[in-house]
Every structure is written in structure tokens, then in C-alpha cells.
Amino acid sequence: MPVQRLATAPQPVPLGRETLPARRGQWARALTHLASLVPLALLIWDGAQGQLTVNPIQEITQRTGKTALALLVLSLACTPANRVLGLRVALLLRRPLGLYAFLYASLHLLTFFVLDYGLDVELIWGAVAEKRYVLAGLGAFVLLVPLALTSTRGWMRRLGRRWKPLHRLVYLAASLAVLHYVWLVKADIREPLLYGAAVAVLLGLRLPPVRRALASLRLALSAS
Ligand code: HEM
């Protein structure tokens, strides 16, 4: 009976005006949670085994910093993945990826302030004032705080039209994080530049002329 079939069919997950089969979305979300927690689990495991190199604080700072940046870039890639590649499932992953990026950035910051600088306000202030890479990192983190706090559906509703422009700040946060990385490496800047290129491409894909060109390309491809 059609009515019964409707009742047992997986319910679509609302995505604004779009919908997605619930099961595919759930699997993708579960995998995202799992994959995002792996670096933290490895960090805890290696710490418990005493395998965090001879400089554990530096190792924790580096691992948490790199994971935060990688997840931030992945969260930025979700909207273009939907628009350019038609991967609607990516829209469901944007928020968890962004929140995990914030989690790792918080751990990164705590490692620096608590473990490295022993919460010594004078020392920390000195580092912020003297080291431009610390200032850039702090700027990136400060921008991420309101984005993480307002990422819930409730805040989306409350902020209405202002939510989108606020959340565009994520591009500035990612750019500052890349600058932070470029400024702190001493010799080989290939990796930070790679992250920089990724952020630039993802930002470029949001520009209206590029979006229009891609939309007409997709239309032409689907018509042929
Ligand atoms: C107040 C804020 C921040 C401070 C004080 C800070 C501090 C540091 C320090 C001291 C290092 C160098 C570790 C070392 O090689 O000895 C580092 C590395 C790094 N940080 Fe930050 N950071 C901050 C915010 C951020 C944020 C928000 C992100 C990303 C979202 C980030 C991403 C990175 C990356 C990718 C590295 C390089 C890791 C590597 O060398 O493999 N940092 N940070």
C-alpha cells in the first residue's frame, strides 16, 4: 500500500529548499565524526605511550594546528562541492567539519597558552605584541568564536539574513590561519602555500562571475 510505503521510507533530511535521502546523509555524517576524531584519538594514544617526540608541547601544537586548518579548509570546500560537483551530501558536513576545526583550534590555543606559556599573562601579551604569527593566529581564533557559537539552527533563525554575511568571515579566519602558518615556518613554505592556494581557489569559486560561468557550464554539460 502506498501509504504504508511512505511511512517506512527513510525520511529526507531538510537542507533549506533541498532534500537528501536520510541514510546517505547519516552515513556521511557518522564518517565525518569518526574521521575528525581520529587525530585526537591518536594524540591521546601517543601521549599515553610517551611517543610525542622529545618536545611533546611542540608536537601537540603542530598536530592540533594542522588538523584545525585542514578541517577548516574542508568545511570551506563543502559549498563548492555541492555547487560545482553536485555533491549535496557535502552540505550536511559543513557544520560538523567547522565545529571540529574549532575544537582543534581551541586545543591548539590552550596548548600554547597553558602548557607552553603557563598562563603567564605578561609572557602571553609579549608574544602577541612581538610575534606577528601569534597575532594572526589569535585573529583567526577570535573570528572563529562567533561562528562556532552561532552555528546552531536556533541562531540561524534568530540572525535571519545576517547569518550568511557573518559566516562569510570564515574566509577571513582561514586566510589569517594560513598567514599564521606562513609566518611561523622558517624554511620550507610549500605546505602553508598549498593551504593558501586552496583557500584562494575556494574563495574564487564563490565570486559571482565564476559562479555564473560554472552554472552555465553545468547547464551546457547537462544539455549535451
Ligand atoms: C592565539 C592563537 C594561536 C597561537 C598562539 C598559535 C600558536 C602556534 C605555534 C606556537 C605554532 C608553532 C608550533 C611549532 O612548530 O613549534 C603553531 C603552528 C601552527 N598553527 Fe597555530 N596558533 C594559533 C592559532 C591557530 C589557528 C586558529 C590555526 C588554524 C585554524 C592554527 C594553525 C596552525 C598550523 C597549521 C600550524 C603549523 C603546524 C606545523 O608546523 O605542522 N593556529 N601555532
Side-chain angles (χ1 to χ4, degrees):
M1 295 235 318
V3 175
Q4 267 174 337
R5 228 184 287 144
L6 261 182
T8 51
Q11 294 303 301
V13 175
L15 274 173
R17 272 170 288 141
E18 301 170 83
T19 56
L20 193 79
R23 252 181 229 143
R24 221 176 105 206
Q26 277 165 3
W27 271 105
R29 262 206 191 128
L31 272 176
T32 302
H33 285 293
L34 208 69
S36 304
L37 286 169
V38 166
L40 182 59
L42 284 176
L43 192 64
I44 294 169
W45 175 262
D46 288 343
Q49 305 287 313
Q51 283 177 352
L52 287 175
T53 73
V54 283
N55 190 341
I57 296 179
Q58 186 182 38
E59 181 72 8
I60 299 170
T61 314
Q62 288 178 342
R63 286 205 207 178
T64 49
K66 209 175 273 172
T67 311
L69 186 57
L71 290 172
L72 196 61
V73 171
L74 280 178
S75 77
L76 292 183
C78 289
T79 305
N82 172 50
R83 281 215 190 108
V84 181
L85 307 171
L87 272 175
R88 277 194 298 152
V89 75
L91 293 181
L92 287 174
L93 313 181
R94 198 171 37 187
R95 183 166 165 252
L97 285 170
L99 286 175
Y100 279 116
F102 182 68
L103 169 74
Y104 283 99
S106 306
L107 292 174
H108 182 69
L109 198 86
L110 279 174
T111 309
F112 183 79
F113 287 163
V114 182
L115 298 183
D116 212 359
Y117 278 62
L119 277 182
D120 184 323
V121 179
E122 228 170 281
L123 264 186
I124 293 170
W125 184 245
V128 175
E130 279 165 30
K131 297 176 181 169
R132 56 183 184 170
Y133 78 82
V134 175
L135 191 63
L138 190 60
F141 186 78
V142 166
L143 286 175
L144 289 177
V145 174
L147 303 187
L149 293 178
T150 59
S151 67
T152 59
R153 278 190 194 283
W155 271 105
M156 245 180 179
R157 250 195 322 272
R158 245 169 278 165
L159 288 173
R161 281 220 214 125
R162 285 168 296 163
W163 192 87
K164 252 190 176 178
L166 174 71
H167 277 252
R168 280 197 197 113
L169 282 177
V170 70
Y171 283 96
L172 186 56
S175 307
L176 281 173
V178 168
L179 199 62
H180 162 72
Y181 195 1
V182 170
W183 277 343
L184 71 87
V185 290
K186 279 157 195 106
D188 190 354
I189 63 162
R190 275 178 300 179
E191 201 168 334
L193 285 185
L194 216 64
Y195 279 104
V199 173
V201 168
L202 293 170
L203 186 59
L205 288 173
R206 293 197 76 116
L207 298 176
V210 179
R211 275 167 67 174
R212 276 195 295 273
L214 284 169
S216 20
L217 184 72
R218 277 190 77 182
L219 215 66
L221 285 176
S222 62
S224 65

